PDB file of all heavy atoms in Angstrom:
ATOM      1  N   PRO A   1      17.762  -3.279  12.436  1.00  0.00           N
ATOM      2  CA  PRO A   1      17.376  -3.442  13.840  1.00  0.00           C
ATOM      3  C   PRO A   1      16.091  -2.702  14.203  1.00  0.00           C
ATOM      4  O   PRO A   1      15.369  -3.120  15.112  1.00  0.00           O
ATOM      5  CB  PRO A   1      18.579  -2.878  14.606  1.00  0.00           C
ATOM      6  CG  PRO A   1      19.303  -2.005  13.620  1.00  0.00           C
ATOM      7  CD  PRO A   1      19.069  -2.624  12.289  1.00  0.00           C
ATOM      8  N   ASP A   2      15.785  -1.618  13.489  1.00  0.00           N
ATOM      9  CA  ASP A   2      14.605  -0.826  13.827  1.00  0.00           C
ATOM     10  C   ASP A   2      13.302  -1.416  13.310  1.00  0.00           C
ATOM     11  O   ASP A   2      12.227  -1.096  13.825  1.00  0.00           O
ATOM     12  CB  ASP A   2      14.760   0.609  13.304  1.00  0.00           C
ATOM     13  CG  ASP A   2      15.953   1.319  13.924  1.00  0.00           C
ATOM     14  OD1 ASP A   2      16.268   1.026  15.094  1.00  0.00           O
ATOM     15  OD2 ASP A   2      16.589   2.144  13.235  1.00  0.00           O
ATOM     16  N   ASP A   3      13.387  -2.250  12.272  1.00  0.00           N
ATOM     17  CA  ASP A   3      12.156  -2.835  11.721  1.00  0.00           C
ATOM     18  C   ASP A   3      12.095  -4.352  11.891  1.00  0.00           C
ATOM     19  O   ASP A   3      11.204  -5.001  11.365  1.00  0.00           O
ATOM     20  CB  ASP A   3      11.986  -2.460  10.239  1.00  0.00           C
ATOM     21  CG  ASP A   3      13.215  -2.778   9.391  1.00  0.00           C
ATOM     22  OD1 ASP A   3      14.171  -3.369   9.927  1.00  0.00           O
ATOM     23  OD2 ASP A   3      13.224  -2.409   8.199  1.00  0.00           O
ATOM     24  N   LEU A   4      13.027  -4.897  12.664  1.00  0.00           N
ATOM     25  CA  LEU A   4      13.040  -6.346  12.871  1.00  0.00           C
ATOM     26  C   LEU A   4      11.742  -6.823  13.518  1.00  0.00           C
ATOM     27  O   LEU A   4      11.234  -7.895  13.179  1.00  0.00           O
ATOM     28  CB  LEU A   4      14.237  -6.743  13.738  1.00  0.00           C
ATOM     29  CG  LEU A   4      14.348  -8.224  14.099  1.00  0.00           C
ATOM     30  CD1 LEU A   4      14.578  -9.082  12.852  1.00  0.00           C
ATOM     31  CD2 LEU A   4      15.477  -8.448  15.114  1.00  0.00           C
ATOM     32  N   GLU A   5      11.178  -6.033  14.438  1.00  0.00           N
ATOM     33  CA  GLU A   5       9.965  -6.457  15.146  1.00  0.00           C
ATOM     34  C   GLU A   5       8.812  -6.741  14.192  1.00  0.00           C
ATOM     35  O   GLU A   5       7.941  -7.569  14.476  1.00  0.00           O
ATOM     36  CB  GLU A   5       9.550  -5.394  16.166  1.00  0.00           C
ATOM     37  CG  GLU A   5       9.257  -4.044  15.553  1.00  0.00           C
ATOM     38  CD  GLU A   5       9.036  -2.958  16.592  1.00  0.00           C
ATOM     39  OE1 GLU A   5       9.546  -3.077  17.726  1.00  0.00           O
ATOM     40  OE2 GLU A   5       8.349  -1.981  16.262  1.00  0.00           O
ATOM     41  N   GLN A   6       8.807  -6.078  13.024  1.00  0.00           N
ATOM     42  CA  GLN A   6       7.741  -6.301  12.054  1.00  0.00           C
ATOM     43  C   GLN A   6       7.861  -7.658  11.367  1.00  0.00           C
ATOM     44  O   GLN A   6       6.898  -8.139  10.768  1.00  0.00           O
ATOM     45  CB  GLN A   6       7.749  -5.187  10.996  1.00  0.00           C
ATOM     46  CG  GLN A   6       7.393  -3.822  11.537  1.00  0.00           C
ATOM     47  CD  GLN A   6       5.941  -3.737  11.977  1.00  0.00           C
ATOM     48  OE1 GLN A   6       5.100  -4.515  11.537  1.00  0.00           O
ATOM     49  NE2 GLN A   6       5.630  -2.790  12.856  1.00  0.00           N
ATOM     50  N   ALA A   7       9.043  -8.273  11.451  1.00  0.00           N
ATOM     51  CA  ALA A   7       9.253  -9.581  10.824  1.00  0.00           C
ATOM     52  C   ALA A   7       8.867 -10.726  11.753  1.00  0.00           C
ATOM     53  O   ALA A   7       9.006 -11.892  11.383  1.00  0.00           O
ATOM     54  CB  ALA A   7      10.721  -9.731  10.399  1.00  0.00           C
ATOM     55  N   TYR A   8       8.377 -10.403  12.956  1.00  0.00           N
ATOM     56  CA  TYR A   8       7.843 -11.395  13.880  1.00  0.00           C
ATOM     57  C   TYR A   8       6.327 -11.203  13.906  1.00  0.00           C
ATOM     58  O   TYR A   8       5.814 -10.335  14.615  1.00  0.00           O
ATOM     59  CB  TYR A   8       8.422 -11.197  15.277  1.00  0.00           C
ATOM     60  CG  TYR A   8       9.836 -11.719  15.443  1.00  0.00           C
ATOM     61  CD1 TYR A   8      10.914 -11.052  14.872  1.00  0.00           C
ATOM     62  CD2 TYR A   8      10.089 -12.880  16.169  1.00  0.00           C
ATOM     63  CE1 TYR A   8      12.212 -11.524  15.024  1.00  0.00           C
ATOM     64  CE2 TYR A   8      11.382 -13.360  16.328  1.00  0.00           C
ATOM     65  CZ  TYR A   8      12.438 -12.676  15.746  1.00  0.00           C
ATOM     66  OH  TYR A   8      13.721 -13.162  15.904  1.00  0.00           O
ATOM     67  N   PRO A   9       5.565 -11.973  13.152  1.00  0.00           N
ATOM     68  CA  PRO A   9       4.133 -11.703  12.995  1.00  0.00           C
ATOM     69  C   PRO A   9       3.353 -11.742  14.305  1.00  0.00           C
ATOM     70  O   PRO A   9       2.369 -11.016  14.468  1.00  0.00           O
ATOM     71  CB  PRO A   9       3.662 -12.789  12.028  1.00  0.00           C
ATOM     72  CG  PRO A   9       4.713 -13.849  12.071  1.00  0.00           C
ATOM     73  CD  PRO A   9       5.992 -13.133  12.348  1.00  0.00           C
ATOM     74  N   GLU A  10       3.782 -12.552  15.268  1.00  0.00           N
ATOM     75  CA  GLU A  10       3.051 -12.656  16.526  1.00  0.00           C
ATOM     76  C   GLU A  10       3.240 -11.414  17.405  1.00  0.00           C
ATOM     77  O   GLU A  10       2.504 -11.214  18.375  1.00  0.00           O
ATOM     78  CB  GLU A  10       3.466 -13.920  17.288  1.00  0.00           C
ATOM     79  CG  GLU A  10       4.859 -13.869  17.900  1.00  0.00           C
ATOM     80  CD  GLU A  10       5.967 -14.336  16.983  1.00  0.00           C
ATOM     81  OE1 GLU A  10       5.869 -14.079  15.765  1.00  0.00           O
ATOM     82  OE2 GLU A  10       6.920 -14.960  17.477  1.00  0.00           O
ATOM     83  N   PHE A  11       4.241 -10.568  17.064  1.00  0.00           N
ATOM     84  CA  PHE A  11       4.460  -9.339  17.826  1.00  0.00           C
ATOM     85  C   PHE A  11       3.452  -8.248  17.457  1.00  0.00           C
ATOM     86  O   PHE A  11       3.176  -7.353  18.259  1.00  0.00           O
ATOM     87  CB  PHE A  11       5.864  -8.787  17.571  1.00  0.00           C
ATOM     88  CG  PHE A  11       6.981  -9.587  18.175  1.00  0.00           C
ATOM     89  CD1 PHE A  11       6.764 -10.809  18.794  1.00  0.00           C
ATOM     90  CD2 PHE A  11       8.284  -9.107  18.129  1.00  0.00           C
ATOM     91  CE1 PHE A  11       7.804 -11.547  19.333  1.00  0.00           C
ATOM     92  CE2 PHE A  11       9.331  -9.825  18.675  1.00  0.00           C
ATOM     93  CZ  PHE A  11       9.105 -11.051  19.276  1.00  0.00           C
ATOM     94  N   ARG A  12       2.943  -8.297  16.250  1.00  0.00           N
ATOM     95  CA  ARG A  12       2.195  -7.152  15.697  1.00  0.00           C
ATOM     96  C   ARG A  12       0.994  -6.720  16.537  1.00  0.00           C
ATOM     97  O   ARG A  12       0.752  -5.517  16.668  1.00  0.00           O
ATOM     98  CB  ARG A  12       1.781  -7.461  14.258  1.00  0.00           C
ATOM     99  CG  ARG A  12       2.977  -7.556  13.313  1.00  0.00           C
ATOM    100  CD  ARG A  12       2.584  -8.000  11.931  1.00  0.00           C
ATOM    101  NE  ARG A  12       3.771  -8.371  11.164  1.00  0.00           N
ATOM    102  CZ  ARG A  12       3.760  -9.205  10.141  1.00  0.00           C
ATOM    103  NH1 ARG A  12       2.601  -9.769   9.761  1.00  0.00           N
ATOM    104  NH2 ARG A  12       4.860  -9.494   9.486  1.00  0.00           N
ATOM    105  N   PRO A  13       0.208  -7.646  17.119  1.00  0.00           N
ATOM    106  CA  PRO A  13      -0.925  -7.175  17.923  1.00  0.00           C
ATOM    107  C   PRO A  13      -0.513  -6.336  19.137  1.00  0.00           C
ATOM    108  O   PRO A  13      -1.342  -5.612  19.701  1.00  0.00           O
ATOM    109  CB  PRO A  13      -1.608  -8.480  18.367  1.00  0.00           C
ATOM    110  CG  PRO A  13      -1.172  -9.502  17.374  1.00  0.00           C
ATOM    111  CD  PRO A  13       0.219  -9.109  17.004  1.00  0.00           C
ATOM    112  N   PHE A  14       0.761  -6.419  19.546  1.00  0.00           N
ATOM    113  CA  PHE A  14       1.207  -5.738  20.757  1.00  0.00           C
ATOM    114  C   PHE A  14       2.044  -4.492  20.464  1.00  0.00           C
ATOM    115  O   PHE A  14       2.326  -3.722  21.385  1.00  0.00           O
ATOM    116  CB  PHE A  14       2.008  -6.722  21.627  1.00  0.00           C
ATOM    117  CG  PHE A  14       1.277  -8.008  21.885  1.00  0.00           C
ATOM    118  CD1 PHE A  14       1.580  -9.154  21.166  1.00  0.00           C
ATOM    119  CD2 PHE A  14       0.248  -8.064  22.810  1.00  0.00           C
ATOM    120  CE1 PHE A  14       0.902 -10.342  21.375  1.00  0.00           C
ATOM    121  CE2 PHE A  14      -0.440  -9.250  23.042  1.00  0.00           C
ATOM    122  CZ  PHE A  14      -0.119 -10.387  22.322  1.00  0.00           C
ATOM    123  N   LEU A  15       2.444  -4.317  19.216  1.00  0.00           N
ATOM    124  CA  LEU A  15       3.258  -3.162  18.862  1.00  0.00           C
ATOM    125  C   LEU A  15       2.413  -1.895  18.956  1.00  0.00           C
ATOM    126  O   LEU A  15       1.247  -1.876  18.562  1.00  0.00           O
ATOM    127  CB  LEU A  15       3.832  -3.320  17.456  1.00  0.00           C
ATOM    128  CG  LEU A  15       4.769  -4.519  17.252  1.00  0.00           C
ATOM    129  CD1 LEU A  15       5.256  -4.578  15.807  1.00  0.00           C
ATOM    130  CD2 LEU A  15       5.955  -4.463  18.207  1.00  0.00           C
ATOM    131  N   GLY A  16       3.009  -0.824  19.507  1.00  0.00           N
ATOM    132  CA  GLY A  16       2.286   0.429  19.679  1.00  0.00           C
ATOM    133  C   GLY A  16       1.484   0.488  20.962  1.00  0.00           C
ATOM    134  O   GLY A  16       0.803   1.493  21.223  1.00  0.00           O
ATOM    135  N   ARG A  17       1.537  -0.574  21.765  1.00  0.00           N
ATOM    136  CA  ARG A  17       0.768  -0.618  23.010  1.00  0.00           C
ATOM    137  C   ARG A  17       1.655  -0.497  24.246  1.00  0.00           C
ATOM    138  O   ARG A  17       1.177  -0.621  25.375  1.00  0.00           O
ATOM    139  CB  ARG A  17      -0.045  -1.914  23.070  1.00  0.00           C
ATOM    140  CG  ARG A  17      -1.135  -1.987  22.002  1.00  0.00           C
ATOM    141  CD  ARG A  17      -1.782  -3.356  21.919  1.00  0.00           C
ATOM    142  NE  ARG A  17      -2.290  -3.815  23.218  1.00  0.00           N
ATOM    143  CZ  ARG A  17      -2.839  -5.018  23.398  1.00  0.00           C
ATOM    144  NH1 ARG A  17      -2.934  -5.856  22.366  1.00  0.00           N
ATOM    145  NH2 ARG A  17      -3.283  -5.367  24.578  1.00  0.00           N
ATOM    146  N   CYS A  18       2.938  -0.231  24.046  1.00  0.00           N
ATOM    147  CA  CYS A  18       3.849  -0.065  25.173  1.00  0.00           C
ATOM    148  C   CYS A  18       3.649   1.311  25.807  1.00  0.00           C
ATOM    149  O   CYS A  18       3.138   2.242  25.172  1.00  0.00           O
ATOM    150  CB  CYS A  18       5.305  -0.215  24.703  1.00  0.00           C
ATOM    151  SG  CYS A  18       5.690  -1.842  23.982  1.00  0.00           S
ATOM    152  N   ARG A  19       4.083   1.447  27.050  1.00  0.00           N
ATOM    153  CA  ARG A  19       3.941   2.724  27.760  1.00  0.00           C
ATOM    154  C   ARG A  19       4.728   3.831  27.064  1.00  0.00           C
ATOM    155  O   ARG A  19       4.270   4.968  26.965  1.00  0.00           O
ATOM    156  CB  ARG A  19       4.432   2.579  29.201  1.00  0.00           C
ATOM    157  CG  ARG A  19       4.291   3.868  30.027  1.00  0.00           C
ATOM    158  CD  ARG A  19       4.880   3.704  31.411  1.00  0.00           C
ATOM    159  NE  ARG A  19       4.255   2.590  32.149  1.00  0.00           N
ATOM    160  CZ  ARG A  19       4.658   2.193  33.353  1.00  0.00           C
ATOM    161  NH1 ARG A  19       5.674   2.828  33.951  1.00  0.00           N
ATOM    162  NH2 ARG A  19       4.041   1.181  33.955  1.00  0.00           N
ATOM    163  N   PHE A  20       5.908   3.490  26.560  1.00  0.00           N
ATOM    164  CA  PHE A  20       6.754   4.477  25.902  1.00  0.00           C
ATOM    165  C   PHE A  20       6.767   4.237  24.394  1.00  0.00           C
ATOM    166  O   PHE A  20       6.908   3.101  23.933  1.00  0.00           O
ATOM    167  CB  PHE A  20       8.178   4.421  26.450  1.00  0.00           C
ATOM    168  CG  PHE A  20       8.249   4.653  27.932  1.00  0.00           C
ATOM    169  CD1 PHE A  20       8.491   3.598  28.802  1.00  0.00           C
ATOM    170  CD2 PHE A  20       8.045   5.916  28.460  1.00  0.00           C
ATOM    171  CE1 PHE A  20       8.549   3.792  30.170  1.00  0.00           C
ATOM    172  CE2 PHE A  20       8.094   6.130  29.835  1.00  0.00           C
ATOM    173  CZ  PHE A  20       8.338   5.072  30.688  1.00  0.00           C
ATOM    174  N   GLY A  21       6.635   5.327  23.640  1.00  0.00           N
ATOM    175  CA  GLY A  21       6.581   5.202  22.184  1.00  0.00           C
ATOM    176  C   GLY A  21       7.860   4.681  21.571  1.00  0.00           C
ATOM    177  O   GLY A  21       7.836   4.086  20.494  1.00  0.00           O
ATOM    178  N   ASP A  22       9.008   4.905  22.243  1.00  0.00           N
ATOM    179  CA  ASP A  22      10.286   4.441  21.722  1.00  0.00           C
ATOM    180  C   ASP A  22      10.769   3.191  22.455  1.00  0.00           C
ATOM    181  O   ASP A  22      11.967   2.934  22.549  1.00  0.00           O
ATOM    182  CB  ASP A  22      11.337   5.544  21.812  1.00  0.00           C
ATOM    183  CG  ASP A  22      11.561   6.010  23.255  1.00  0.00           C
ATOM    184  OD1 ASP A  22      10.769   5.616  24.130  1.00  0.00           O
ATOM    185  OD2 ASP A  22      12.522   6.771  23.481  1.00  0.00           O
ATOM    186  N   CYS A  23       9.835   2.412  22.965  1.00  0.00           N
ATOM    187  CA  CYS A  23      10.179   1.206  23.734  1.00  0.00           C
ATOM    188  C   CYS A  23      11.020   0.252  22.895  1.00  0.00           C
ATOM    189  O   CYS A  23      10.691  -0.038  21.733  1.00  0.00           O
ATOM    190  CB  CYS A  23       8.896   0.502  24.200  1.00  0.00           C
ATOM    191  SG  CYS A  23       9.202  -0.937  25.251  1.00  0.00           S
ATOM    192  N   ARG A  24      12.095  -0.237  23.502  1.00  0.00           N
ATOM    193  CA  ARG A  24      12.967  -1.202  22.823  1.00  0.00           C
ATOM    194  C   ARG A  24      12.612  -2.638  23.216  1.00  0.00           C
ATOM    195  O   ARG A  24      13.294  -3.571  22.794  1.00  0.00           O
ATOM    196  CB  ARG A  24      14.433  -0.912  23.190  1.00  0.00           C
ATOM    197  CG  ARG A  24      14.910   0.484  22.806  1.00  0.00           C
ATOM    198  CD  ARG A  24      14.942   0.664  21.319  1.00  0.00           C
ATOM    199  NE  ARG A  24      15.984  -0.154  20.701  1.00  0.00           N
ATOM    200  CZ  ARG A  24      16.076  -0.343  19.382  1.00  0.00           C
ATOM    201  NH1 ARG A  24      15.165   0.178  18.576  1.00  0.00           N
ATOM    202  NH2 ARG A  24      17.050  -1.072  18.875  1.00  0.00           N
ATOM    203  N   HIS A  25      11.588  -2.801  24.044  1.00  0.00           N
ATOM    204  CA  HIS A  25      11.096  -4.128  24.436  1.00  0.00           C
ATOM    205  C   HIS A  25      12.164  -4.929  25.178  1.00  0.00           C
ATOM    206  O   HIS A  25      12.211  -6.152  25.072  1.00  0.00           O
ATOM    207  CB  HIS A  25      10.621  -4.916  23.212  1.00  0.00           C
ATOM    208  CG  HIS A  25       9.803  -4.115  22.258  1.00  0.00           C
ATOM    209  ND1 HIS A  25       8.658  -3.446  22.622  1.00  0.00           N
ATOM    210  CD2 HIS A  25       9.978  -3.847  20.933  1.00  0.00           C
ATOM    211  CE1 HIS A  25       8.154  -2.821  21.573  1.00  0.00           C
ATOM    212  NE2 HIS A  25       8.931  -3.035  20.545  1.00  0.00           N
ATOM    213  N   ASP A  26      12.997  -4.229  25.922  1.00  0.00           N
ATOM    214  CA  ASP A  26      14.071  -4.912  26.632  1.00  0.00           C
ATOM    215  C   ASP A  26      13.826  -4.868  28.140  1.00  0.00           C
ATOM    216  O   ASP A  26      13.293  -5.812  28.729  1.00  0.00           O
ATOM    217  CB  ASP A  26      15.419  -4.276  26.269  1.00  0.00           C
ATOM    218  CG  ASP A  26      16.593  -5.122  26.715  1.00  0.00           C
ATOM    219  OD1 ASP A  26      16.367  -6.151  27.360  1.00  0.00           O
ATOM    220  OD2 ASP A  26      17.743  -4.754  26.422  1.00  0.00           O
ATOM    221  N   ARG A  27      14.147  -3.739  28.774  1.00  0.00           N
ATOM    222  CA  ARG A  27      13.942  -3.632  30.230  1.00  0.00           C
ATOM    223  C   ARG A  27      12.974  -2.513  30.604  1.00  0.00           C
ATOM    224  O   ARG A  27      12.786  -2.227  31.783  1.00  0.00           O
ATOM    225  CB  ARG A  27      15.286  -3.403  30.928  1.00  0.00           C
ATOM    226  CG  ARG A  27      16.276  -4.552  30.755  1.00  0.00           C
ATOM    227  CD  ARG A  27      17.609  -4.232  31.419  1.00  0.00           C
ATOM    228  NE  ARG A  27      18.553  -5.339  31.286  1.00  0.00           N
ATOM    229  CZ  ARG A  27      19.329  -5.515  30.228  1.00  0.00           C
ATOM    230  NH1 ARG A  27      19.263  -4.667  29.213  1.00  0.00           N
ATOM    231  NH2 ARG A  27      20.165  -6.533  30.183  1.00  0.00           N
ATOM    232  N   GLU A  28      12.368  -1.894  29.613  1.00  0.00           N
ATOM    233  CA  GLU A  28      11.492  -0.760  29.900  1.00  0.00           C
ATOM    234  C   GLU A  28      10.221  -1.215  30.626  1.00  0.00           C
ATOM    235  O   GLU A  28       9.651  -2.263  30.297  1.00  0.00           O
ATOM    236  CB  GLU A  28      11.102  -0.042  28.600  1.00  0.00           C
ATOM    237  CG  GLU A  28      12.266   0.567  27.828  1.00  0.00           C
ATOM    238  CD  GLU A  28      12.868  -0.408  26.826  1.00  0.00           C
ATOM    239  OE1 GLU A  28      12.649  -1.636  26.976  1.00  0.00           O
ATOM    240  OE2 GLU A  28      13.532   0.047  25.892  1.00  0.00           O
ATOM    241  N   PRO A  29       9.757  -0.431  31.594  1.00  0.00           N
ATOM    242  CA  PRO A  29       8.484  -0.753  32.256  1.00  0.00           C
ATOM    243  C   PRO A  29       7.312  -0.504  31.312  1.00  0.00           C
ATOM    244  O   PRO A  29       7.383   0.355  30.429  1.00  0.00           O
ATOM    245  CB  PRO A  29       8.449   0.217  33.443  1.00  0.00           C
ATOM    246  CG  PRO A  29       9.300   1.377  33.014  1.00  0.00           C
ATOM    247  CD  PRO A  29      10.390   0.782  32.162  1.00  0.00           C
ATOM    248  N   GLY A  30       6.246  -1.262  31.504  1.00  0.00           N
ATOM    249  CA  GLY A  30       5.059  -1.070  30.680  1.00  0.00           C
ATOM    250  C   GLY A  30       5.205  -1.550  29.255  1.00  0.00           C
ATOM    251  O   GLY A  30       4.458  -1.107  28.369  1.00  0.00           O
ATOM    252  N   CYS A  31       6.123  -2.501  29.018  1.00  0.00           N
ATOM    253  CA  CYS A  31       6.320  -3.025  27.655  1.00  0.00           C
ATOM    254  C   CYS A  31       5.269  -4.094  27.360  1.00  0.00           C
ATOM    255  O   CYS A  31       5.175  -5.116  28.060  1.00  0.00           O
ATOM    256  CB  CYS A  31       7.725  -3.606  27.517  1.00  0.00           C
ATOM    257  SG  CYS A  31       8.009  -4.468  25.945  1.00  0.00           S
ATOM    258  N   ALA A  32       4.496  -3.882  26.320  1.00  0.00           N
ATOM    259  CA  ALA A  32       3.428  -4.824  25.971  1.00  0.00           C
ATOM    260  C   ALA A  32       3.981  -6.155  25.494  1.00  0.00           C
ATOM    261  O   ALA A  32       3.373  -7.212  25.735  1.00  0.00           O
ATOM    262  CB  ALA A  32       2.530  -4.206  24.897  1.00  0.00           C
ATOM    263  N   LEU A  33       5.140  -6.141  24.851  1.00  0.00           N
ATOM    264  CA  LEU A  33       5.729  -7.393  24.365  1.00  0.00           C
ATOM    265  C   LEU A  33       6.250  -8.233  25.531  1.00  0.00           C
ATOM    266  O   LEU A  33       6.103  -9.463  25.537  1.00  0.00           O
ATOM    267  CB  LEU A  33       6.858  -7.105  23.377  1.00  0.00           C
ATOM    268  CG  LEU A  33       6.506  -7.137  21.890  1.00  0.00           C
ATOM    269  CD1 LEU A  33       7.738  -6.867  21.041  1.00  0.00           C
ATOM    270  CD2 LEU A  33       5.890  -8.477  21.511  1.00  0.00           C
ATOM    271  N   GLN A  34       6.869  -7.568  26.515  1.00  0.00           N
ATOM    272  CA  GLN A  34       7.326  -8.310  27.683  1.00  0.00           C
ATOM    273  C   GLN A  34       6.140  -8.952  28.417  1.00  0.00           C
ATOM    274  O   GLN A  34       6.214 -10.100  28.859  1.00  0.00           O
ATOM    275  CB  GLN A  34       8.091  -7.381  28.624  1.00  0.00           C
ATOM    276  CG  GLN A  34       9.416  -6.882  28.074  1.00  0.00           C
ATOM    277  CD  GLN A  34      10.114  -5.961  29.063  1.00  0.00           C
ATOM    278  OE1 GLN A  34      10.256  -6.296  30.240  1.00  0.00           O
ATOM    279  NE2 GLN A  34      10.528  -4.798  28.604  1.00  0.00           N
ATOM    280  N   GLU A  35       5.055  -8.205  28.530  1.00  0.00           N
ATOM    281  CA  GLU A  35       3.869  -8.739  29.200  1.00  0.00           C
ATOM    282  C   GLU A  35       3.276  -9.906  28.410  1.00  0.00           C
ATOM    283  O   GLU A  35       2.838 -10.912  28.980  1.00  0.00           O
ATOM    284  CB  GLU A  35       2.835  -7.635  29.374  1.00  0.00           C
ATOM    285  CG  GLU A  35       1.537  -8.086  30.032  1.00  0.00           C
ATOM    286  CD  GLU A  35       1.758  -8.728  31.391  1.00  0.00           C
ATOM    287  OE1 GLU A  35       2.663  -8.278  32.131  1.00  0.00           O
ATOM    288  OE2 GLU A  35       1.028  -9.690  31.712  1.00  0.00           O
ATOM    289  N   ALA A  36       3.260  -9.784  27.074  1.00  0.00           N
ATOM    290  CA  ALA A  36       2.748 -10.864  26.231  1.00  0.00           C
ATOM    291  C   ALA A  36       3.598 -12.119  26.375  1.00  0.00           C
ATOM    292  O   ALA A  36       3.085 -13.243  26.337  1.00  0.00           O
ATOM    293  CB  ALA A  36       2.710 -10.414  24.773  1.00  0.00           C
ATOM    294  N   THR A  37       4.892 -11.928  26.583  1.00  0.00           N
ATOM    295  CA  THR A  37       5.775 -13.074  26.795  1.00  0.00           C
ATOM    296  C   THR A  37       5.500 -13.728  28.144  1.00  0.00           C
ATOM    297  O   THR A  37       5.445 -14.955  28.258  1.00  0.00           O
ATOM    298  CB  THR A  37       7.244 -12.631  26.697  1.00  0.00           C
ATOM    299  OG1 THR A  37       7.483 -12.002  25.437  1.00  0.00           O
ATOM    300  CG2 THR A  37       8.174 -13.829  26.830  1.00  0.00           C
ATOM    301  N   ARG A  38       5.317 -12.907  29.165  1.00  0.00           N
ATOM    302  CA  ARG A  38       5.024 -13.461  30.501  1.00  0.00           C
ATOM    303  C   ARG A  38       3.696 -14.212  30.516  1.00  0.00           C
ATOM    304  O   ARG A  38       3.548 -15.222  31.217  1.00  0.00           O
ATOM    305  CB  ARG A  38       5.016 -12.334  31.535  1.00  0.00           C
ATOM    306  CG  ARG A  38       6.410 -11.819  31.903  1.00  0.00           C
ATOM    307  CD  ARG A  38       6.354 -10.907  33.114  1.00  0.00           C
ATOM    308  NE  ARG A  38       5.715  -9.639  32.810  1.00  0.00           N
ATOM    309  CZ  ARG A  38       6.367  -8.548  32.407  1.00  0.00           C
ATOM    310  NH1 ARG A  38       7.684  -8.582  32.270  1.00  0.00           N
ATOM    311  NH2 ARG A  38       5.716  -7.427  32.168  1.00  0.00           N
TER     312      ARG A  38
END
């Protein structure tokens, strides 16, 4: 579960760009993946 995001190649440009370093990309504010989805 901790490295699953690396198996989605389109996620990689946005990883590490979230407001929180331990972002789970679920409901956290400032999530770069959520913004990329929107």
Side-chain angles (χ1 to χ4, degrees):
D2 299 328
D3 52 5
L4 177 65
E5 60 188 25
Q6 294 292 338
Y8 282 73
E10 72 272 35
F11 289 7
R12 293 174 193 156
F14 308 101
L15 298 179
R17 294 171 54 183
C18 299
R19 181 184 302 176
F20 302 106
D22 60 350
C23 184
R24 300 294 292 169
H25 316 304
D26 193 356
R27 297 177 179 85
E28 298 90 341
C31 173
L33 264 181
Q34 292 180 50
E35 179 56 36
T37 304
R38 285 191 290 268

